[in-house]
């Protein structure tokens, strides 16, 4: 009976899921380690002789789209977010709108001083969509991501922040007290998976949080928007963060909505009894407060900009040029033609 279960379990696994970097033993009670090791050895030979990198990427994307599973169940992030997936992710208008909305909410939870530029670390920055929200509010930022393709696209888009290819499970490598705040959008749940034989999720989480605690100034905040798969993952993440020295808790926006519900882990460095911010949509007696998220095909960038200059306007261009001058870059001097729209006819 046990051998039948083993054969049926291995038969439904695709070659990509059984790859050495993507092995998922979802049923440890029924899968024999010796059988899994033999299966991995056979798949190494198969992949080295039959599959190219492009075909592996295509099969990963096809498996994810067909099954509708979570991305972290398909492949490690550096493999899943290849060049094609990274470009698709960056050009999707709905993804861009969601990323901008969650980044602005994370900045709101950071509660940084107004009209004062801050130095922020963006963990899992991807192609720089969340960094654009930081730049628009006048902050300086550094982005980390494990996907080389995502970092390459961010460099092509000429984002303002400094970019590094880095595995957050190995810790952050900055000097103590370097950053005023930390944000992370849809990245923290990847640390709960063991993509390699040497990966231990609790140890990787503790390494990340302990090094992050050191890199954050005392009194600073770190806000992580993430998607825990279950309560066990949520407990694992929060316990390792508290073990590293952080205080804080979980802020849930729109807890009664299926689509609009978002979880933010708000962590404080060096504060004993912090006051957690309230989640949106938690008080039913607040009139005029939206209770659900709506998405459309078109981007409405100029709505609710909180007094900021619209993008590509004269004020926006002058602010960007002044920001680049402070960074020591070569910028053309202002003239009467700065920010002037060209005529449709030459």
């Amino acid at each position: 009976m046990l051998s039948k279960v083993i054969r049926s379990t291995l038969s439904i696994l695709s070659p990509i899921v059984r790859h050495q970097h993507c092995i998922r033993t979802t049923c440890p009670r029924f899968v024999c380690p010796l059988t899994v090791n033999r299966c991995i050895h056979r798949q190494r030979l198969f992949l080295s002789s039959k599959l190219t990198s492009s075909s592996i990427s295509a099969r990963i994307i096809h498996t994810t789209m067909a099954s509708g599973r979570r991305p972290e169940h398909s492949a490690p992030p550096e493999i899943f977010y290849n060049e094609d997936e990274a470009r698709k992710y960056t050009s999707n208008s709905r993804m861009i709108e969601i990323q901008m909305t969650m980044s602005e909410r994370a900045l709101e939870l950071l509660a940084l001083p107004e009209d004062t530029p801050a130095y922020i670390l963006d963990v899992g920055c991807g192609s720089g969509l969340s960094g654009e929200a930081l730049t628009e509010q006048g902050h300086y930022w550094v982005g980390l991501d494990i996907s080389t393709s995502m970092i390459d696209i961010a460099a092509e888009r000429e984002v303002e922040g400094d970019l590094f290819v880095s595995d957050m499970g190995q810790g952050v490598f900055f000097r103590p007290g370097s950053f005023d705040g930390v944000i992370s959008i849809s990245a923290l749940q990847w640390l709960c998976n063991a993509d390699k034989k040497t990966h231990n999720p609790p140890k990787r989480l503790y390494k990340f949080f302990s090094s992050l605690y050191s890199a954050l100034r005392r009194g600073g905040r770190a806000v992580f928007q993430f998607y825990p798969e279950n309560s066990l993952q949520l407990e694992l993440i929060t316990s390792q963060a508290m073990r590293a020295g952080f205080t804080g808790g979980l802020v849930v926006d729109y807890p009664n909505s299926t689509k609009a519900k978002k979880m933010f882990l708000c962590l404080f460095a060096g504060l004993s009894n912090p006051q957690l911010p309230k989640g949106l949509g938690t008080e039913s007696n607040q009139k005029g407060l939206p209770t659900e998220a709506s998405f459309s095909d078109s981007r409405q960038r100029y709505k609710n900009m909180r007094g900021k200059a619209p993008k590509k306007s004269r004020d926006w261009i002058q602010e960007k040029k002044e920001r680049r001058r402070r960074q020591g870059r070569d910028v053309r001097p202002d003239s009467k033609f700065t920010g002037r729209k060209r005529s449709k006819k030459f």
Side-chain angles (χ1 to χ4, degrees):
M1 181 64 184
L2 180 60
S3 60
K4 291 182 180 179
V5 174
I6 292 174
R7 287 196 298 270
S8 62
T9 303
L10 293 177
S11 63
I12 61 174
L13 294 177
S14 66
I16 297 303
V17 178
R18 295 202 302 258
H19 188 252
Q20 59 175 331
H21 296 302
C22 315
I23 185 69
R24 292 288 190 276
T25 56
T26 56
C27 298
R29 296 181 181 179
F30 302 123
V31 180
C32 175
L34 180 60
T35 307
V36 173
N37 291 335
R38 290 175 180 174
C39 177
I40 294 174
H41 178 69
R42 289 198 299 269
Q43 292 308 318
R44 285 177 182 172
L45 298 177
F46 175 76
L47 288 171
S48 61
S49 59
K50 298 293 185 181
L51 294 180
T52 62
S53 60
S54 60
S55 62
I56 292 175
S57 304
R59 188 168 297 193
I60 290 173
I61 296 174
H62 173 73
T63 303
T64 305
M65 294 178 63
S67 61
R69 295 179 300 177
R70 298 166 67 94
E72 58 267 24
H73 289 180
S74 301
E78 64 270 23
I79 297 178
F80 180 80
Y81 288 108
N82 54 23
E83 184 176 358
D84 295 336
E85 187 70 20
R87 292 192 181 277
K88 193 188 327 180
Y89 187 92
T90 309
S91 59
N92 190 310
S93 59
R94 181 175 177 270
M95 283 294 181
I96 294 173
E97 185 67 27
I98 294 175
Q99 284 284 324
M100 293 292 290
T101 302
M102 292 190 297
S103 301
E104 291 178 355
R105 175 58 175 159
L107 273 174
E108 182 180 347
L109 293 174
L110 278 182
L112 296 169
E114 296 183 0
D115 302 327
T116 302
Y119 197 47
I120 300 176
L121 177 64
D122 186 359
V123 180
C125 63
S127 57
L129 297 178
S130 53
E132 287 185 349
L134 301 176
T135 301
E136 289 183 359
Q137 297 199 18
H139 300 300
Y140 304 97
W141 60 279
V142 175
L144 303 179
D145 201 279
I146 195 173
S147 172
T148 307
S149 300
M150 281 287 197
I151 294 294
D152 290 340
I153 292 180
E156 290 179 7
R157 299 174 65 242
E158 297 183 352
V159 296
E160 297 286 343
D162 297 323
L163 305 171
F164 295 93
V165 177
S166 176
D167 179 10
M168 60 181 176
Q170 297 179 357
V172 297
F173 44 84
F174 299 99
R175 294 180 178 179
S178 298
F179 297 99
D180 301 313
V182 178
I183 70 167
S184 178
I185 307 299
S186 308
L188 189 59
Q189 68 272 6
W190 288 89
L191 285 181
C192 296
N193 298 316
D195 297 319
K196 297 180 181 178
K197 186 185 299 184
T198 57
H199 282 185
N200 186 328
K203 290 184 178 180
R204 284 167 57 81
L205 281 165
Y206 177 73
K207 178 68 174 178
F208 168 66
F209 283 124
S210 59
S211 59
L212 187 69
Y213 186 89
S214 174
L216 194 61
R217 68 171 177 82
R218 298 292 79 88
R221 296 187 183 188
V223 177
F224 299 88
Q225 186 278 323
F226 67 115
Y227 298 99
E229 185 176 0
N230 48 46
S231 59
L232 295 179
Q233 282 193 2
L234 184 60
E235 183 180 357
L236 174 64
I237 292 173
T238 53
S239 62
Q240 295 303 319
M242 302 309 165
R243 181 188 169 198
F246 282 106
T247 56
L250 193 66
V251 176
V252 183
D253 287 350
Y254 310 112
N256 298 323
S257 175
T258 303
K259 293 184 178 180
K261 182 178 179 180
K262 293 293 182 293
M263 292 188 179
F264 295 87
L265 181 63
C266 296
L267 302 178
F268 302 83
L271 297 180
S272 58
N273 295 315
Q275 182 70 28
L276 272 179
K278 294 183 179 180
L280 300 179
T282 55
E283 297 181 6
S284 58
N285 56 357
Q286 291 182 354
K287 297 182 178 180
L289 191 64
T291 57
E292 60 181 7
S294 60
F295 306 103
S296 60
D297 296 332
S298 60
R299 267 182 90 184
Q300 298 178 358
R301 300 201 56 167
Y302 308 136
K303 189 176 181 180
N304 298 329
M305 297 193 66
R306 302 172 186 171
K308 295 182 295 185
K311 195 169 184 180
K312 303 299 182 181
S313 65
R314 181 181 178 87
D315 294 337
W316 181 86
I317 293 175
Q318 289 180 343
E319 290 177 2
K320 185 174 182 179
K321 292 175 72 174
E322 185 62 29
R323 187 165 57 247
R324 286 176 174 256
R325 289 192 185 100
R326 292 196 300 266
Q327 295 174 355
R329 302 186 184 185
D330 293 334
V331 181
R332 293 184 179 181
D334 296 335
S335 67
K336 64 179 181 179
F337 301 104
T338 301
R340 178 180 294 184
K341 293 183 178 180
R342 291 186 177 184
S343 176
K344 295 181 180 180
K345 297 182 179 179
F346 289 98

